[in-house]
Amino acid sequence: MTQPPHGNLPPRGPVQPPPVPGQPPAAPWPPGQHHQYPVAPRRSPGAIIGICLGAVAVLVLGLVAIVALNKNDTPVASTGYQNTPSPSAPSELPPAGASSPQSATVTAPPPSSSAPSSVGPQKILKLGDHPILTDKNAGLQNRVCNLPPWQSTQSGAEAFFTAASKCLDAAWGPFLEAYHLPFVPPALHFPTGASFETECGTIQVGIATAAYYCENNLYVPFRGLQTDQYGNNPGVYLALFAHEYGHHVQEVAGLMDAAWQKIYEAGQNSPAGLEMSRRKELQAQCFSGMFLGAHVDQGGTVTRDMYNKAWNDQETRGDNTSRSSDHGTNAHYAAWWRAGAVNDRIADCNTFAAPPSEVS
């Protein structure tokens, strides 16, 4: 599903739910009616005795035929089948589009006479009750992340973010795959011009586009990083990059599609639409904090100084700074990042279940 940009550009248009591949499910029984199997009529005792005697006669004739066949010495060609039981087929998730934000029940397809084909992992279009958000003990593993020293040049930034993307892949990939979600790393791009083309449209490079995510693609235009302001401050750049990668986590999981469906239903600039946008953005903030919290002081190059500077920088970002209403106040922008960083528990990032007062 094509996603609108995560900047200030308008969306591409309303999202239509994708069709369910394969045949539609059978129509349910009408309300108030129950499917009943036909019941055989009762028979008289004499009829039952006659049926039993007939069954005995058929059994005797069958035994005679089997004995006659066993006397035949002609070899039978092998069919290739073995007597060992075949392993049971793995559970299969519903095809894409079969679920809605309100209902994403995992079901298995009806049995087929042909060989079973495995249906790969699928997104789960849920929000507050999404499986990755309901496990209170789930979080990212503590890992070592080694990044090259920051250099405020095009080539230096490319080397830094390329290494960071590998650390993010290694952190989020196994986590999402554990929930049978279709993880693939995002494609990384480093635009150099004043604008660049994406599936979400033409993006103008500026202070609002230090990093940009659209449809499994992550763009980092060096000219938008404001290196003249932040200088040699890799913790700030890493947190910003991890925020945009957080949108990829939402995309892979199905959270992104479910959120945009709600935004389109309400209207992007309506109070409900703007609130859903803030919930989406604040969750990406929390995911960014989780990543830095899981990798600081683990023996790699994500140092305590980088972590502390990223922590303090979050207060400078948000709707108070941008004069918008779609990302959350600066206080909430910092609070959700810190919630992810302190405990590294993804349930603490469930912005979709938070009260409105925490996502204003």
Side-chain angles (χ1 to χ4, degrees):
M1 180 184 299
T2 300
Q3 297 301 332
H6 300 290
N8 296 321
L9 296 180
R12 297 182 63 190
V15 174
Q16 298 296 330
V20 179
Q23 297 297 324
W29 293 98
Q33 297 185 17
H34 301 279
H35 180 41
Q36 295 181 348
Y37 291 98
V39 180
R42 294 185 178 180
R43 300 179 184 274
S44 64
I48 294 175
I49 294 172
I51 290 173
C52 293
L53 291 175
V56 171
V58 171
L59 179 61
V60 171
L61 291 174
L63 291 173
V64 172
I66 291 173
V67 172
L69 287 172
N70 286 338
K71 290 182 178 180
N72 191 346
D73 294 331
T74 304
V76 179
S78 173
T79 61
Y81 293 106
Q82 298 179 352
N83 292 329
T84 55
S86 59
S88 58
S91 300
E92 297 182 86
L93 296 175
S99 303
S100 67
Q102 288 75 30
S103 176
T105 304
V106 177
T107 59
S112 172
S113 58
S114 59
S117 60
S118 177
V119 176
Q122 301 293 324
K123 296 179 182 181
I124 300 174
L125 304 187
K126 287 190 173 186
L127 292 173
D129 57 345
H130 196 286
I132 70 171
L133 301 176
T134 56
D135 186 348
K136 295 183 178 180
N137 295 318
L140 297 180
Q141 290 186 349
N142 296 122
R143 299 178 62 90
V144 174
C145 177
N146 286 311
L147 306 172
W150 175 260
Q151 296 181 12
S152 295
T153 63
Q154 176 74 34
S155 60
E158 290 186 16
F160 181 86
F161 291 120
T162 299
S165 69
K166 300 301 182 184
C167 292
L168 284 154
D169 293 343
W172 285 110
F175 180 90
L176 294 167
E177 289 169 347
Y179 290 90
H180 308 291
L181 294 167
F183 175 78
V184 290
L188 199 57
H189 308 273
F190 299 100
T192 57
S195 64
F196 55 94
E197 298 296 326
T198 76
E199 292 190 25
C200 298
T202 301
I203 309 304
Q204 302 296 325
V205 176
I207 60 174
T209 50
Y212 185 87
Y213 179 82
C214 173
E215 195 68 19
N216 297 313
N217 289 273
L218 211 167
Y219 302 85
V220 188
F222 176 73
R223 295 172 59 175
L225 290 174
Q226 297 177 270
T227 56
D228 55 339
Q229 177 179 347
Y230 293 106
N232 185 16
N233 201 340
V236 172
Y237 305 127
L238 181 60
L240 180 140
F241 185 74
H243 170 105
E244 294 303 323
Y245 195 103
H247 287 310
H248 184 64
V249 175
Q250 293 173 322
E251 173 71 31
V252 169
L255 292 159
M256 181 74 77
D257 290 354
W260 274 108
Q261 285 182 358
K262 293 291 187 182
I263 292 172
Y264 284 133
E265 289 172 4
Q268 186 176 359
N269 294 317
S270 68
L274 290 171
E275 181 180 300
M276 182 56 65
S277 178
R278 293 194 296 272
R279 292 180 185 274
K280 172 174 60 66
E281 294 295 333
L282 291 170
Q283 184 175 75
Q285 273 291 92
C286 192
F287 288 172
S288 171
M290 282 182 64
F291 174 77
L292 268 78
H295 291 77
V296 65
D297 296 336
Q298 297 301 314
T301 58
V302 181
T303 65
R304 178 61 53 171
D305 180 66
M306 290 172 60
Y307 177 89
N308 289 341
K309 288 181 178 178
W311 177 286
N312 294 328
D313 179 69
Q314 303 313 311
E315 295 179 355
T316 70
R317 303 176 185 272
D319 288 342
N320 300 108
T321 301
S322 63
R323 300 181 183 275
S324 59
S325 304
D326 57 356
H327 278 61
T329 64
N330 288 28
H332 285 152
Y333 217 61
W336 282 100
W337 191 93
R338 293 167 182 174
V342 170
N343 296 322
D344 184 23
R345 290 295 180 268
I346 200 164
D348 293 342
C349 296
N350 195 349
T351 57
F352 297 110
S357 61
E358 295 182 6
V359 294
S360 61

mmCIF file of all heavy atoms in Angstrom, residues 90-125:
data_model
loop_
_atom_site.group_PDB
_atom_site.id
_atom_site.type_symbol
_atom_site.label_atom_id
_atom_site.label_comp_id
_atom_site.label_asym_id
_atom_site.label_seq_id
_atom_site.Cartn_x
_atom_site.Cartn_y
_atom_site.Cartn_z
ATOM 1 N N PRO A 90 2.848 -26.374 8.265
ATOM 2 C CA PRO A 90 2.929 -25.273 9.238
ATOM 3 C C PRO A 90 1.690 -24.403 9.178
ATOM 4 O O PRO A 90 0.988 -24.360 8.179
ATOM 5 C CB PRO A 90 4.172 -24.500 8.764
ATOM 6 C CG PRO A 90 4.292 -24.831 7.313
ATOM 7 C CD PRO A 90 3.796 -26.254 7.174
ATOM 8 N N SER A 91 1.442 -23.713 10.278
ATOM 9 C CA SER A 91 0.311 -22.794 10.296
ATOM 10 C C SER A 91 0.512 -21.727 9.237
ATOM 11 O O SER A 91 1.627 -21.256 9.010
ATOM 12 C CB SER A 91 0.188 -22.139 11.670
ATOM 13 O OG SER A 91 -0.018 -23.116 12.661
ATOM 14 N N GLU A 92 -0.555 -21.328 8.603
ATOM 15 C CA GLU A 92 -0.469 -20.353 7.540
ATOM 16 C C GLU A 92 -1.275 -19.122 7.918
ATOM 17 O O GLU A 92 -2.367 -19.211 8.463
ATOM 18 C CB GLU A 92 -0.988 -20.947 6.232
ATOM 19 C CG GLU A 92 -0.146 -22.130 5.747
ATOM 20 C CD GLU A 92 -0.632 -22.672 4.424
ATOM 21 O OE1 GLU A 92 -0.218 -22.152 3.393
ATOM 22 O OE2 GLU A 92 -1.461 -23.583 4.446
ATOM 23 N N LEU A 93 -0.718 -17.956 7.600
ATOM 24 C CA LEU A 93 -1.395 -16.717 7.886
ATOM 25 C C LEU A 93 -2.317 -16.362 6.740
ATOM 26 O O LEU A 93 -2.132 -16.816 5.612
ATOM 27 C CB LEU A 93 -0.360 -15.603 8.089
ATOM 28 C CG LEU A 93 0.567 -15.800 9.284
ATOM 29 C CD1 LEU A 93 1.608 -14.697 9.306
ATOM 30 C CD2 LEU A 93 -0.223 -15.789 10.566
ATOM 31 N N PRO A 94 -3.310 -15.523 6.991
ATOM 32 C CA PRO A 94 -4.231 -15.155 5.922
ATOM 33 C C PRO A 94 -3.528 -14.336 4.863
ATOM 34 O O PRO A 94 -2.527 -13.662 5.141
ATOM 35 C CB PRO A 94 -5.290 -14.315 6.653
ATOM 36 C CG PRO A 94 -4.570 -13.792 7.853
ATOM 37 C CD PRO A 94 -3.602 -14.870 8.241
ATOM 38 N N PRO A 95 -3.992 -14.375 3.628
ATOM 39 C CA PRO A 95 -3.362 -13.570 2.575
ATOM 40 C C PRO A 95 -3.542 -12.090 2.844
ATOM 41 O O PRO A 95 -4.402 -11.678 3.615
ATOM 42 C CB PRO A 95 -4.124 -14.005 1.306
ATOM 43 C CG PRO A 95 -5.430 -14.509 1.816
ATOM 44 C CD PRO A 95 -5.138 -15.136 3.145
ATOM 45 N N ALA A 96 -2.715 -11.280 2.189
ATOM 46 C CA ALA A 96 -2.772 -9.841 2.391
ATOM 47 C C ALA A 96 -4.159 -9.325 2.044
ATOM 48 O O ALA A 96 -4.744 -9.708 1.039
ATOM 49 C CB ALA A 96 -1.721 -9.146 1.511
ATOM 50 N N GLY A 97 -4.659 -8.425 2.866
ATOM 51 C CA GLY A 97 -5.966 -7.844 2.606
ATOM 52 C C GLY A 97 -7.081 -8.581 3.288
ATOM 53 O O GLY A 97 -8.217 -8.113 3.305
ATOM 54 N N ALA A 98 -6.810 -9.749 3.860
ATOM 55 C CA ALA A 98 -7.876 -10.518 4.486
ATOM 56 C C ALA A 98 -8.247 -9.964 5.843
ATOM 57 O O ALA A 98 -9.268 -10.319 6.389
ATOM 58 C CB ALA A 98 -7.460 -11.981 4.630
ATOM 59 N N SER A 99 -7.386 -9.109 6.390
ATOM 60 C CA SER A 99 -7.626 -8.583 7.718
ATOM 61 C C SER A 99 -7.989 -7.117 7.644
ATOM 62 O O SER A 99 -7.653 -6.423 6.703
ATOM 63 C CB SER A 99 -6.377 -8.752 8.589
ATOM 64 O OG SER A 99 -6.011 -10.106 8.643
ATOM 65 N N SER A 100 -8.664 -6.640 8.654
ATOM 66 C CA SER A 100 -8.991 -5.237 8.779
ATOM 67 C C SER A 100 -8.456 -4.752 10.113
ATOM 68 O O SER A 100 -8.071 -5.554 10.954
ATOM 69 C CB SER A 100 -10.508 -5.046 8.721
ATOM 70 O OG SER A 100 -11.107 -5.621 9.869
ATOM 71 N N PRO A 101 -8.382 -3.413 10.329
ATOM 72 C CA PRO A 101 -7.889 -2.949 11.622
ATOM 73 C C PRO A 101 -8.676 -3.497 12.799
ATOM 74 O O PRO A 101 -8.161 -3.618 13.892
ATOM 75 C CB PRO A 101 -8.050 -1.420 11.502
ATOM 76 C CG PRO A 101 -7.977 -1.148 10.049
ATOM 77 C CD PRO A 101 -8.607 -2.339 9.393
ATOM 78 N N GLN A 102 -9.953 -3.832 12.584
ATOM 79 C CA GLN A 102 -10.749 -4.359 13.679
ATOM 80 C C GLN A 102 -10.648 -5.869 13.803
ATOM 81 O O GLN A 102 -10.926 -6.431 14.835
ATOM 82 C CB GLN A 102 -12.225 -3.989 13.491
ATOM 83 C CG GLN A 102 -12.514 -2.509 13.739
ATOM 84 C CD GLN A 102 -12.049 -1.630 12.618
ATOM 85 O OE1 GLN A 102 -12.013 -2.056 11.474
ATOM 86 N NE2 GLN A 102 -11.690 -0.397 12.934
ATOM 87 N N SER A 103 -10.289 -6.552 12.734
ATOM 88 C CA SER A 103 -10.276 -8.006 12.761
ATOM 89 C C SER A 103 -9.114 -8.524 11.944
ATOM 90 O O SER A 103 -9.032 -8.275 10.747
ATOM 91 C CB SER A 103 -11.590 -8.566 12.186
ATOM 92 O OG SER A 103 -11.547 -9.964 12.117
ATOM 93 N N ALA A 104 -8.200 -9.208 12.607
ATOM 94 C CA ALA A 104 -7.043 -9.779 11.912
ATOM 95 C C ALA A 104 -6.821 -11.188 12.415
ATOM 96 O O ALA A 104 -5.734 -11.583 12.777
ATOM 97 C CB ALA A 104 -5.804 -8.917 12.129
ATOM 98 N N THR A 105 -7.915 -11.968 12.458
ATOM 99 C CA THR A 105 -7.833 -13.318 12.979
ATOM 100 C C THR A 105 -6.992 -14.191 12.061
ATOM 101 O O THR A 105 -7.176 -14.188 10.842
ATOM 102 C CB THR A 105 -9.245 -13.926 13.102
ATOM 103 O OG1 THR A 105 -10.024 -13.052 13.913
ATOM 104 C CG2 THR A 105 -9.175 -15.307 13.720
ATOM 105 N N VAL A 106 -6.060 -14.940 12.629
ATOM 106 C CA VAL A 106 -5.239 -15.853 11.849
ATOM 107 C C VAL A 106 -6.056 -17.104 11.552
ATOM 108 O O VAL A 106 -6.551 -17.761 12.457
ATOM 109 C CB VAL A 106 -3.958 -16.223 12.616
ATOM 110 C CG1 VAL A 106 -3.148 -17.221 11.835
ATOM 111 C CG2 VAL A 106 -3.144 -14.971 12.891
ATOM 112 N N THR A 107 -6.205 -17.411 10.295
ATOM 113 C CA THR A 107 -6.958 -18.582 9.879
ATOM 114 C C THR A 107 -6.149 -19.403 8.905
ATOM 115 O O THR A 107 -5.231 -18.902 8.267
ATOM 116 C CB THR A 107 -8.282 -18.177 9.213
ATOM 117 O OG1 THR A 107 -7.984 -17.343 8.073
ATOM 118 C CG2 THR A 107 -9.178 -17.409 10.174
ATOM 119 N N ALA A 108 -6.498 -20.667 8.794
ATOM 120 C CA ALA A 108 -5.836 -21.548 7.829
ATOM 121 C C ALA A 108 -6.767 -21.751 6.647
ATOM 122 O O ALA A 108 -7.988 -21.794 6.805
ATOM 123 C CB ALA A 108 -5.519 -22.890 8.474
ATOM 124 N N PRO A 109 -6.230 -21.845 5.417
ATOM 125 C CA PRO A 109 -7.077 -22.049 4.251
ATOM 126 C C PRO A 109 -7.696 -23.439 4.278
ATOM 127 O O PRO A 109 -7.210 -24.335 4.971
ATOM 128 C CB PRO A 109 -6.089 -21.892 3.086
ATOM 129 C CG PRO A 109 -4.768 -22.252 3.666
ATOM 130 C CD PRO A 109 -4.810 -21.792 5.107
ATOM 131 N N PRO A 110 -8.792 -23.643 3.533
ATOM 132 C CA PRO A 110 -9.414 -24.967 3.500
ATOM 133 C C PRO A 110 -8.473 -25.991 2.899
ATOM 134 O O PRO A 110 -7.602 -25.653 2.092
ATOM 135 C CB PRO A 110 -10.650 -24.743 2.613
ATOM 136 C CG PRO A 110 -10.316 -23.539 1.800
ATOM 137 C CD PRO A 110 -9.465 -22.676 2.681
ATOM 138 N N PRO A 111 -8.601 -27.264 3.287
ATOM 139 C CA PRO A 111 -7.701 -28.287 2.751
ATOM 140 C C PRO A 111 -7.860 -28.424 1.250
ATOM 141 O O PRO A 111 -8.933 -28.234 0.695
ATOM 142 C CB PRO A 111 -8.152 -29.566 3.488
ATOM 143 C CG PRO A 111 -9.536 -29.287 3.957
ATOM 144 C CD PRO A 111 -9.602 -27.815 4.215
ATOM 145 N N SER A 112 -6.765 -28.735 0.596
ATOM 146 C CA SER A 112 -6.768 -28.896 -0.857
ATOM 147 C C SER A 112 -6.205 -30.258 -1.207
ATOM 148 O O SER A 112 -5.371 -30.820 -0.499
ATOM 149 C CB SER A 112 -5.929 -27.790 -1.505
ATOM 150 O OG SER A 112 -5.763 -28.028 -2.879
ATOM 151 N N SER A 113 -6.663 -30.783 -2.348
ATOM 152 C CA SER A 113 -6.171 -32.081 -2.792
ATOM 153 C C SER A 113 -4.770 -31.992 -3.359
ATOM 154 O O SER A 113 -4.059 -32.979 -3.469
ATOM 155 C CB SER A 113 -7.126 -32.659 -3.859
ATOM 156 O OG SER A 113 -7.220 -31.756 -4.948
ATOM 157 N N SER A 114 -4.346 -30.770 -3.738
ATOM 158 C CA SER A 114 -2.998 -30.595 -4.276
ATOM 159 C C SER A 114 -2.007 -30.442 -3.134
ATOM 160 O O SER A 114 -2.371 -30.318 -1.976
ATOM 161 C CB SER A 114 -2.959 -29.356 -5.185
ATOM 162 O OG SER A 114 -3.333 -28.206 -4.459
ATOM 163 N N ALA A 115 -0.724 -30.421 -3.495
ATOM 164 C CA ALA A 115 0.318 -30.293 -2.481
ATOM 165 C C ALA A 115 0.183 -28.957 -1.774
ATOM 166 O O ALA A 115 -0.086 -27.937 -2.411
ATOM 167 C CB ALA A 115 1.696 -30.411 -3.138
ATOM 168 N N PRO A 116 0.379 -28.919 -0.464
ATOM 169 C CA PRO A 116 0.211 -27.654 0.258
ATOM 170 C C PRO A 116 1.291 -26.654 -0.113
ATOM 171 O O PRO A 116 2.443 -27.006 -0.323
ATOM 172 C CB PRO A 116 0.338 -28.069 1.728
ATOM 173 C CG PRO A 116 1.134 -29.333 1.704
ATOM 174 C CD PRO A 116 0.752 -30.021 0.425
ATOM 175 N N SER A 117 0.909 -25.381 -0.244
ATOM 176 C CA SER A 117 1.870 -24.325 -0.538
ATOM 177 C C SER A 117 1.888 -23.370 0.641
ATOM 178 O O SER A 117 0.845 -22.950 1.134
ATOM 179 C CB SER A 117 1.473 -23.572 -1.814
ATOM 180 O OG SER A 117 0.197 -22.993 -1.660
ATOM 181 N N SER A 118 3.071 -23.020 1.092
ATOM 182 C CA SER A 118 3.207 -22.195 2.280
ATOM 183 C C SER A 118 2.940 -20.737 1.934
ATOM 184 O O SER A 118 3.492 -20.194 0.988
ATOM 185 C CB SER A 118 4.619 -22.346 2.850
ATOM 186 O OG SER A 118 4.783 -21.499 3.955
ATOM 187 N N VAL A 119 2.052 -20.105 2.682
ATOM 188 C CA VAL A 119 1.799 -18.684 2.545
ATOM 189 C C VAL A 119 2.742 -17.961 3.492
ATOM 190 O O VAL A 119 2.798 -18.262 4.676
ATOM 191 C CB VAL A 119 0.332 -18.357 2.877
ATOM 192 C CG1 VAL A 119 0.100 -16.852 2.817
ATOM 193 C CG2 VAL A 119 -0.600 -19.080 1.929
ATOM 194 N N GLY A 120 3.509 -17.009 2.953
ATOM 195 C CA GLY A 120 4.518 -16.346 3.750
ATOM 196 C C GLY A 120 3.934 -15.434 4.803
ATOM 197 O O GLY A 120 2.722 -15.222 4.885
ATOM 198 N N PRO A 121 4.794 -14.852 5.643
ATOM 199 C CA PRO A 121 4.330 -13.923 6.673
ATOM 200 C C PRO A 121 3.583 -12.747 6.061
ATOM 201 O O PRO A 121 3.905 -12.290 4.962
ATOM 202 C CB PRO A 121 5.634 -13.467 7.335
ATOM 203 C CG PRO A 121 6.617 -14.558 7.035
ATOM 204 C CD PRO A 121 6.245 -15.076 5.689
ATOM 205 N N GLN A 122 2.594 -12.267 6.763
ATOM 206 C CA GLN A 122 1.762 -11.171 6.287
ATOM 207 C C GLN A 122 1.660 -10.084 7.354
ATOM 208 O O GLN A 122 1.777 -10.343 8.547
ATOM 209 C CB GLN A 122 0.356 -11.678 5.957
ATOM 210 C CG GLN A 122 0.316 -12.770 4.896
ATOM 211 C CD GLN A 122 0.726 -12.274 3.527
ATOM 212 O OE1 GLN A 122 0.418 -11.136 3.162
ATOM 213 N NE2 GLN A 122 1.433 -13.095 2.776
ATOM 214 N N LYS A 123 1.417 -8.857 6.924
ATOM 215 C CA LYS A 123 1.157 -7.763 7.849
ATOM 216 C C LYS A 123 -0.107 -8.044 8.650
ATOM 217 O O LYS A 123 -1.016 -8.733 8.185
ATOM 218 C CB LYS A 123 0.967 -6.457 7.085
ATOM 219 C CG LYS A 123 2.175 -5.970 6.313
ATOM 220 C CD LYS A 123 1.822 -4.682 5.589
ATOM 221 C CE LYS A 123 2.994 -4.169 4.765
ATOM 222 N NZ LYS A 123 2.651 -2.897 4.071
ATOM 223 N N ILE A 124 -0.168 -7.482 9.826
ATOM 224 C CA ILE A 124 -1.362 -7.574 10.664
ATOM 225 C C ILE A 124 -1.893 -6.155 10.835
ATOM 226 O O ILE A 124 -1.251 -5.320 11.472
ATOM 227 C CB ILE A 124 -1.041 -8.206 12.032
ATOM 228 C CG1 ILE A 124 -0.490 -9.629 11.827
ATOM 229 C CG2 ILE A 124 -2.286 -8.236 12.911
ATOM 230 C CD1 ILE A 124 -0.021 -10.281 13.112
ATOM 231 N N LEU A 125 -3.033 -5.876 10.249
ATOM 232 C CA LEU A 125 -3.577 -4.524 10.243
ATOM 233 C C LEU A 125 -4.348 -4.260 11.540
ATOM 234 O O LEU A 125 -5.578 -4.286 11.579
ATOM 235 C CB LEU A 125 -4.470 -4.313 9.023
ATOM 236 C CG LEU A 125 -3.811 -4.573 7.663
ATOM 237 C CD1 LEU A 125 -4.728 -4.164 6.531
ATOM 238 C CD2 LEU A 125 -2.482 -3.839 7.553
#
